[in-house]
């Protein structure tokens, strides 16, 4: 099984909005059950951070590409 953010045949896979929401819900459940600074909650928070960073890096790559493509010279 391919993990989120891993490469698939040379192309990086980015998390979907549903995957982000699912991880957020897992983080909230862990925080409510074990406490906000528990190992379980912090682990899920860090996983969500990585997923968001992957998605944001893709978006910024797209934005910078768009700026170069459509900039007036």
């Amino acid at each position: 099984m391919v993990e989120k953010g891993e490469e698939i045949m040379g192309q990086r896979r980015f998390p979907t909005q549903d995957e982000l929401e699912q991880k957020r819900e897992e983080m909230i459940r862990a925080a409510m059950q074990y406490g906000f600074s528990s190992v379980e909650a912090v682990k899920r928070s860090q996983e969500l951070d990585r997923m968001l960073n992957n998605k944001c890096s893709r978006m910024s790559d797209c934005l910078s590409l768009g700026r170069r493509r459509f900039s007036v010279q």
Side-chain angles (χ1 to χ4, degrees):
M1 184 166 140
V2 176
E3 292 294 321
K4 297 163 193 67
E6 284 188 324
E7 290 190 15
I8 301 172
M9 296 173 66
Q11 293 186 355
R12 195 166 181 188
R13 181 182 174 287
F14 297 98
T16 65
Q17 191 64 35
D18 288 339
E19 290 169 333
L20 291 170
E21 185 62 27
Q22 178 182 351
K23 186 57 68 178
R24 186 178 80 76
E25 290 172 7
E26 290 175 14
M27 179 190 67
I28 291 169
R29 279 194 301 275
M32 298 302 285
Q33 183 174 359
Y34 303 109
F36 288 94
S37 59
S38 67
V39 172
E40 293 84 1
V42 170
K43 178 182 174 188
R44 285 167 181 81
S45 176
Q46 291 171 338
E47 290 169 350
L48 179 60
D49 286 346
R50 277 191 291 276
M51 292 169 71
L52 288 167
N53 288 336
N54 286 340
K55 187 169 183 107
C56 289
S57 70
R58 179 180 131 212
M59 289 171 50
S60 64
D61 290 346
C62 293
L63 290 174
S64 65
L65 175 63
R67 276 190 234 114
R68 279 183 268 143
R69 183 178 295 160
F70 299 110
S71 63
V72 177
Q73 303 263 339

